[in-house]
Amino acid sequence: MPPRQRLTPAARRAQLLTVGARLFAAHPYADVLMEEVAAQAGVSRALLYRHFPSKQALFAAVYQEAADRLLAETRFDPADSLVEQLVQGMDVHLDYFEANRNAVLAANRVLAGDPVVQTIMTDELDALRARLLAVLPLADGNAHEAVSGVLKSWLVFVRVLCVDWLTHETCTRTQLRDVCIGAVLGALRPLLAEDPAPDWPRRSRTPGREG
C-alpha cells in the first residue's frame, strides 16, 4: 500500500473516484474489489467505506461524474450544422465508450436493475434530448412534442446499439456513428419545417477503410 496522504474529505473523495474509474475501466465489474480500490488509493478499507458504503455506490458516483463530463463536452453550437453537432456529440460519447468499455457494459448489463445507475443514464439522455430540441427548426408546439418523442426513442436506440457494438464489434466506429446519425435524420425529416441535413446521406465509402 502506498504511503497514506492527508487530504481534505473532498480531495479524498476525488482521489477515490479517480482510482475507482481507472479500475472499473480496466476490469469487468465483478473483478473490481473494494480492497483493491483502497490499496491503490493508499487508504484503509474503513476509510473507503466511509466515503462509499458499497461497490455499487462507488460505481454510481464514478458514472455520475462521467455523465456530467460527457454533457459538458457535448456541444450543440448553432454556428455548426446539425450533422456537425451530431458528429461531435457522438464522437465525445464513443471516445468514452471505447476507453471505458467495461464500465459501460457494467452500467448497461450488470447493473441494469440498479435504480441509481439507471437514473444517471436516463437523466443524461433527457438532458441531451432537451439540448437537441433547442437547436432543431421546429414549426410549432405540436412538432415539438412529436420531435421530443422521436429523440427519446433515438437516444435509447443509440445506447442499445453502442452497447451491442462494444460487445461484438460488427462494424467500424465510423459506420456505427453514421448509422446513428442517419437514423435520427431520417426519423426527423417528416416532422421539421425544413430539412435539417440536405447534404445527408454522405457518399458511400469503401467498407473497412473507416476509422
Side-chain angles (χ1 to χ4, degrees), residues 130-187:
R131 290 167 65 181
L132 274 168
L133 279 168
V135 300
L136 288 171
L138 303 179
D140 52 40
N142 290 333
H144 185 281
E145 184 175 352
V147 169
S148 179
V150 167
L151 291 176
K152 182 175 182 178
S153 298
W154 174 70
L155 287 164
V156 173
F157 163 79
V158 171
R159 171 181 163 184
V160 172
L161 194 61
C162 288
V163 170
D164 286 347
W165 181 75
L166 289 173
T167 307
H168 305 289
E169 193 173 332
T170 54
C171 64
T172 68
R173 169 177 160 154
T174 299
Q175 288 170 333
L176 172 69
R177 186 190 68 193
D178 287 356
V179 164
C180 293
I181 293 173
V184 73
L185 293 176

Coordinates of all heavy atoms in Angstrom, one line a residue, residues 130-187:
A130 N -33.2 17.5 -24.5 CA -33.6 18.9 -24.3 C -32.6 19.8 -25.1 O -33.1 20.8 -25.8 CB -33.5 19.3 -22.9
R131 N -31.4 19.5 -25.1 CA -30.4 20.4 -25.9 C -30.6 20.2 -27.4 O -30.5 21.2 -28.1 CB -29.0 20.1 -25.4 CG -28.8 20.6 -24.0 CD -27.5 20.0 -23.4 NE -26.3 20.5 -24.0 CZ -25.1 20.2 -23.7 NH1 -24.9 19.3 -22.7 NH2 -24.0 20.6 -24.4
L132 N -30.9 19.0 -27.8 CA -31.1 18.8 -29.3 C -32.4 19.6 -29.7 O -32.5 20.2 -30.8 CB -31.3 17.3 -29.6 CG -29.9 16.6 -29.9 CD1 -30.2 15.1 -29.9 CD2 -29.3 17.1 -31.2
L133 N -33.4 19.5 -28.9 CA -34.7 20.2 -29.2 C -34.5 21.7 -29.4 O -35.1 22.3 -30.2 CB -35.7 19.9 -28.1 CG -36.5 18.6 -28.1 CD1 -37.2 18.4 -26.8 CD2 -37.4 18.6 -29.3
A134 N -33.5 22.2 -28.6 CA -33.3 23.7 -28.6 C -32.6 24.1 -29.9 O -32.7 25.3 -30.3 CB -32.4 24.1 -27.4
V135 N -32.0 23.2 -30.7 CA -31.3 23.6 -31.9 C -32.0 23.2 -33.2 O -31.5 23.5 -34.2 CB -29.8 23.1 -31.9 CG1 -29.1 23.6 -30.7 CG2 -29.8 21.6 -31.9
L136 N -33.1 22.5 -33.0 CA -33.8 22.0 -34.2 C -34.8 23.0 -34.7 O -35.5 23.7 -33.9 CB -34.5 20.7 -33.9 CG -33.6 19.5 -33.7 CD1 -34.4 18.3 -33.2 CD2 -32.9 19.1 -35.1
P137 N -35.0 23.1 -36.0 CA -36.0 24.1 -36.6 C -37.4 23.5 -36.5 O -38.0 22.9 -37.4 CB -35.6 24.2 -38.1 CG -35.0 22.9 -38.4 CD -34.3 22.4 -37.1
L138 N -38.1 23.8 -35.3 CA -39.4 23.3 -35.1 C -40.5 24.3 -35.5 O -40.4 25.5 -35.3 CB -39.6 23.0 -33.6 CG -38.6 22.0 -33.0 CD1 -38.9 21.8 -31.5 CD2 -38.6 20.7 -33.7
A139 N -41.5 23.8 -36.2 CA -42.6 24.6 -36.7 C -43.5 25.2 -35.7 O -43.9 26.3 -35.7 CB -43.3 23.9 -37.9
D140 N -43.9 24.3 -34.8 CA -44.9 24.7 -33.8 C -44.8 23.8 -32.6 O -44.0 22.9 -32.5 CB -46.3 24.7 -34.4 CG -46.6 23.3 -35.0 OD1 -46.3 22.3 -34.5 OD2 -47.3 23.4 -36.1
G141 N -45.7 24.0 -31.6 CA -45.8 23.2 -30.4 C -46.0 21.7 -30.6 O -45.5 20.9 -30.0
N142 N -46.9 21.4 -31.6 CA -47.2 20.0 -31.9 C -45.9 19.3 -32.4 O -45.7 18.1 -32.1 CB -48.3 19.9 -32.9 CG -49.7 20.3 -32.4 OD1 -49.9 20.2 -31.2 ND2 -50.5 20.8 -33.2
A143 N -45.2 20.0 -33.2 CA -43.9 19.4 -33.8 C -43.0 19.2 -32.6 O -42.3 18.2 -32.6 CB -43.3 20.4 -34.8
H144 N -42.9 20.1 -31.6 CA -42.0 19.9 -30.5 C -42.3 18.6 -29.8 O -41.4 17.9 -29.4 CB -42.2 21.1 -29.6 CG -41.3 21.1 -28.4 ND1 -41.4 20.3 -27.3 CD2 -40.1 21.9 -28.2 CE1 -40.4 20.6 -26.4 NE2 -39.6 21.5 -27.0
E145 N -43.6 18.3 -29.5 CA -43.9 17.1 -28.8 C -43.5 15.9 -29.6 O -43.0 14.9 -29.1 CB -45.4 17.1 -28.5 CG -45.8 15.9 -27.6 CD -47.3 16.0 -27.2 OE1 -47.9 17.0 -27.5 OE2 -47.8 15.0 -26.6
A146 N -43.8 15.9 -30.9 CA -43.5 14.8 -31.8 C -42.0 14.5 -31.9 O -41.5 13.4 -31.8 CB -44.1 15.0 -33.1
V147 N -41.3 15.6 -32.1 CA -39.8 15.5 -32.2 C -39.2 15.0 -30.9 O -38.3 14.2 -30.9 CB -39.2 16.9 -32.6 CG1 -37.7 16.8 -32.5 CG2 -39.6 17.2 -34.1
S148 N -39.7 15.5 -29.8 CA -39.2 15.1 -28.5 C -39.4 13.6 -28.3 O -38.5 12.9 -27.8 CB -40.0 15.8 -27.3 OG -39.5 15.3 -26.1
G149 N -40.5 13.0 -28.8 CA -40.7 11.6 -28.7 C -39.7 10.8 -29.6 O -39.2 9.8 -29.2
V150 N -39.5 11.3 -30.8 CA -38.5 10.7 -31.7 C -37.1 10.7 -31.1 O -36.4 9.7 -31.1 CB -38.5 11.4 -33.0 CG1 -37.3 11.0 -33.9 CG2 -39.8 11.1 -33.8
L151 N -36.7 11.8 -30.5 CA -35.4 11.9 -29.9 C -35.2 11.0 -28.7 O -34.2 10.4 -28.5 CB -35.1 13.4 -29.5 CG -34.9 14.4 -30.6 CD1 -34.7 15.8 -30.1 CD2 -33.8 14.0 -31.5
K152 N -36.3 10.9 -27.9 CA -36.2 10.0 -26.8 C -36.0 8.5 -27.2 O -35.1 7.8 -26.7 CB -37.5 10.1 -26.0 CG -37.5 9.2 -24.7 CD -38.8 9.4 -23.9 CE -38.7 8.6 -22.6 NZ -39.9 8.9 -21.8
S153 N -36.7 8.1 -28.2 CA -36.6 6.8 -28.8 C -35.2 6.6 -29.4 O -34.6 5.5 -29.3 CB -37.7 6.4 -29.8 OG -39.0 6.5 -29.1
W154 N -34.8 7.6 -30.2 CA -33.5 7.5 -30.8 C -32.3 7.4 -29.9 O -31.4 6.6 -30.1 CB -33.3 8.8 -31.7 CG -31.9 8.8 -32.4 CD1 -31.4 8.0 -33.3 CD2 -30.8 9.7 -32.0 NE1 -30.1 8.3 -33.7 CE2 -29.7 9.3 -32.9 CE3 -30.7 10.7 -31.1 CZ2 -28.5 10.0 -32.8 CZ3 -29.5 11.4 -31.0 CH2 -28.4 11.0 -31.9
L155 N -32.3 8.1 -28.8 CA -31.3 8.1 -27.8 C -31.2 6.7 -27.2 O -30.1 6.2 -26.9 CB -31.4 9.2 -26.8 CG -31.1 10.6 -27.3 CD1 -31.7 11.6 -26.3 CD2 -29.6 10.8 -27.4
V156 N -32.3 6.1 -26.9 CA -32.3 4.7 -26.4 C -31.8 3.7 -27.5 O -31.0 2.8 -27.2 CB -33.8 4.3 -26.0 CG1 -33.8 2.8 -25.6 CG2 -34.3 5.1 -24.8
F157 N -32.2 3.9 -28.7 CA -31.6 3.1 -29.8 C -30.1 3.2 -29.9 O -29.4 2.2 -30.0 CB -32.2 3.6 -31.1 CG -31.5 3.2 -32.4 CD1 -31.7 1.9 -32.9 CD2 -30.7 4.1 -33.1 CE1 -31.0 1.5 -34.1 CE2 -30.0 3.7 -34.2 CZ -30.2 2.4 -34.7
V158 N -29.6 4.5 -29.8 CA -28.1 4.7 -29.8 C -27.5 3.9 -28.6 O -26.4 3.3 -28.8 CB -27.8 6.2 -29.8 CG1 -26.3 6.4 -29.6 CG2 -28.2 6.8 -31.1
R159 N -28.0 4.0 -27.5 CA -27.5 3.4 -26.3 C -27.4 1.9 -26.5 O -26.4 1.3 -26.3 CB -28.3 3.7 -25.1 CG -28.0 2.9 -23.8 CD -29.0 3.3 -22.7 NE -29.0 2.4 -21.6 CZ -29.8 2.5 -20.6 NH1 -30.7 3.5 -20.5 NH2 -29.8 1.5 -19.6
V160 N -28.5 1.3 -27.0 CA -28.5 -0.2 -27.2 C -27.5 -0.6 -28.3 O -26.8 -1.6 -28.1 CB -30.0 -0.6 -27.5 CG1 -30.0 -2.1 -28.0 CG2 -30.9 -0.4 -26.4
L161 N -27.5 0.2 -29.4 CA -26.6 -0.2 -30.5 C -25.1 -0.1 -30.1 O -24.3 -0.9 -30.4 CB -26.9 0.7 -31.7 CG -26.3 0.3 -33.0 CD1 -26.9 -1.0 -33.4 CD2 -26.6 1.4 -34.1
C162 N -24.8 1.0 -29.3 CA -23.4 1.1 -28.9 C -23.0 0.0 -27.9 O -21.9 -0.5 -27.9 CB -23.2 2.5 -28.2 SG -23.3 3.9 -29.4
V163 N -23.9 -0.4 -27.0 CA -23.6 -1.5 -26.1 C -23.4 -2.8 -26.8 O -22.4 -3.5 -26.5 CB -24.7 -1.6 -25.0 CG1 -24.5 -2.9 -24.2 CG2 -24.7 -0.4 -24.1
D164 N -24.2 -3.0 -27.8 CA -24.0 -4.2 -28.6 C -22.7 -4.1 -29.4 O -22.0 -5.2 -29.5 CB -25.2 -4.4 -29.6 CG -26.5 -4.8 -29.0 OD1 -26.4 -5.3 -27.8 OD2 -27.5 -4.7 -29.6
W165 N -22.3 -3.0 -29.9 CA -21.1 -2.8 -30.6 C -19.9 -3.0 -29.7 O -18.9 -3.6 -30.2 CB -21.1 -1.4 -31.2 CG -19.8 -1.1 -32.0 CD1 -19.5 -1.5 -33.3 CD2 -18.7 -0.3 -31.6 NE1 -18.3 -1.0 -33.7 CE2 -17.8 -0.3 -32.7 CE3 -18.4 0.5 -30.5 CZ2 -16.6 0.5 -32.7 CZ3 -17.3 1.2 -30.4 CH2 -16.3 1.2 -31.5
L166 N -20.0 -2.6 -28.5 CA -18.9 -2.8 -27.5 C -18.7 -4.3 -27.3 O -17.6 -4.8 -26.9 CB -19.1 -2.1 -26.2 CG -19.0 -0.6 -26.3 CD1 -19.4 0.1 -25.0 CD2 -17.5 -0.1 -26.6
T167 N -19.8 -5.1 -27.3 CA -19.7 -6.5 -27.1 C -19.3 -7.3 -28.3 O -18.4 -8.2 -28.2 CB -21.1 -7.0 -26.7 OG1 -21.6 -6.2 -25.6 CG2 -21.1 -8.5 -26.2
H168 N -19.8 -6.9 -29.5 CA -19.5 -7.6 -30.7 C -19.3 -6.5 -31.8 O -20.2 -6.0 -32.3 CB -20.6 -8.5 -31.2 CG -20.9 -9.6 -30.1 ND1 -20.1 -10.6 -29.8 CD2 -22.0 -9.7 -29.4 CE1 -20.7 -11.4 -28.9 NE2 -21.8 -10.8 -28.6
E169 N -18.0 -6.2 -32.1 CA -17.7 -5.1 -33.0 C -17.9 -5.5 -34.4 O -17.0 -6.0 -35.1 CB -16.3 -4.6 -32.8 CG -16.0 -3.3 -33.5 CD -14.6 -2.7 -33.1 OE1 -14.1 -3.0 -32.0 OE2 -14.0 -2.0 -33.9
T170 N -19.2 -5.4 -34.9 CA -19.5 -5.9 -36.2 C -19.4 -4.9 -37.3 O -19.6 -5.2 -38.5 CB -21.0 -6.4 -36.2 OG1 -21.8 -5.3 -35.7 CG2 -21.1 -7.6 -35.3
C171 N -19.0 -3.7 -37.0 CA -18.8 -2.6 -38.0 C -17.7 -1.7 -37.4 O -17.3 -1.8 -36.3 CB -20.1 -1.9 -38.3 SG -20.8 -1.0 -36.9
T172 N -17.3 -0.8 -38.2 CA -16.3 0.2 -37.8 C -17.0 1.2 -36.9 O -18.2 1.4 -36.9 CB -15.6 0.9 -38.9 OG1 -16.5 1.7 -39.6 CG2 -15.0 -0.1 -39.9
R173 N -16.1 2.0 -36.2 CA -16.7 3.1 -35.4 C -17.4 4.1 -36.2 O -18.4 4.6 -35.9 CB -15.6 3.7 -34.5 CG -16.0 5.0 -33.9 CD -14.9 5.5 -33.0 NE -15.1 6.9 -32.7 CZ -14.6 7.6 -31.7 NH1 -13.9 6.9 -30.8 NH2 -14.9 8.9 -31.5
T174 N -16.8 4.5 -37.4 CA -17.4 5.5 -38.2 C -18.7 5.0 -38.8 O -19.7 5.8 -38.9 CB -16.4 5.8 -39.4 OG1 -15.2 6.3 -38.9 CG2 -17.0 6.8 -40.3
Q175 N -18.8 3.7 -39.2 CA -20.0 3.2 -39.6 C -21.1 3.2 -38.5 O -22.3 3.6 -38.8 CB -19.8 1.7 -40.1 CG -19.1 1.6 -41.4 CD -18.7 0.2 -41.8 OE1 -18.5 -0.6 -40.9 NE2 -18.5 -0.1 -43.1
L176 N -20.7 2.9 -37.3 CA -21.6 2.9 -36.2 C -22.2 4.3 -36.0 O -23.4 4.6 -35.9 CB -20.9 2.4 -34.9 CG -21.7 2.6 -33.6 CD1 -22.9 1.7 -33.6 CD2 -20.8 2.4 -32.4
R177 N -21.3 5.3 -36.0 CA -21.7 6.7 -35.8 C -22.6 7.2 -36.9 O -23.6 7.8 -36.7 CB -20.4 7.6 -35.8 CG -20.7 9.0 -35.5 CD -19.4 9.9 -35.7 NE -19.1 9.9 -37.1 CZ -17.9 10.4 -37.6 NH1 -17.0 10.7 -36.8 NH2 -17.7 10.4 -38.9
D178 N -22.3 6.8 -38.2 CA -23.1 7.2 -39.3 C -24.4 6.6 -39.3 O -25.4 7.2 -39.8 CB -22.3 7.0 -40.6 CG -21.2 8.0 -40.8 OD1 -21.0 8.9 -40.0 OD2 -20.5 7.9 -41.8
V179 N -24.5 5.3 -38.9 CA -25.8 4.7 -38.8 C -26.7 5.4 -37.8 O -27.9 5.7 -38.0 CB -25.6 3.2 -38.3 CG1 -27.0 2.6 -37.8 CG2 -25.1 2.3 -39.5
C180 N -26.1 5.8 -36.6 CA -26.9 6.5 -35.6 C -27.4 7.9 -36.1 O -28.5 8.3 -35.9 CB -26.0 6.7 -34.4 SG -25.7 5.1 -33.5
I181 N -26.5 8.6 -36.8 CA -26.8 9.9 -37.3 C -27.9 9.8 -38.4 O -28.9 10.5 -38.5 CB -25.6 10.6 -37.8 CG1 -24.7 11.0 -36.6 CG2 -26.0 11.9 -38.6 CD1 -23.3 11.6 -37.0
G182 N -27.7 8.8 -39.3 CA -28.6 8.6 -40.4 C -30.0 8.3 -39.9 O -31.0 8.7 -40.4
A183 N -30.1 7.5 -38.8 CA -31.3 7.1 -38.2 C -32.1 8.3 -37.7 O -33.3 8.4 -37.9 CB -31.1 6.1 -37.1
V184 N -31.5 9.2 -37.0 CA -32.2 10.3 -36.4 C -32.6 11.3 -37.5 O -33.7 11.9 -37.5 CB -31.4 11.0 -35.3 CG1 -30.2 11.8 -35.8 CG2 -32.4 11.9 -34.4
L185 N -31.8 11.5 -38.5 CA -32.1 12.4 -39.6 C -33.3 11.9 -40.3 O -34.2 12.7 -40.7 CB -30.9 12.6 -40.5 CG -29.7 13.4 -39.9 CD1 -28.6 13.4 -40.9 CD2 -30.1 14.8 -39.5
G186 N -33.3 10.6 -40.6 CA -34.4 10.0 -41.4 C -35.7 10.1 -40.6 O -36.8 10.4 -41.1
A187 N -35.6 9.9 -39.3 CA -36.9 10.0 -38.4 C -37.4 11.4 -38.3 O -38.6 11.6 -38.1 CB -36.5 9.4 -37.1

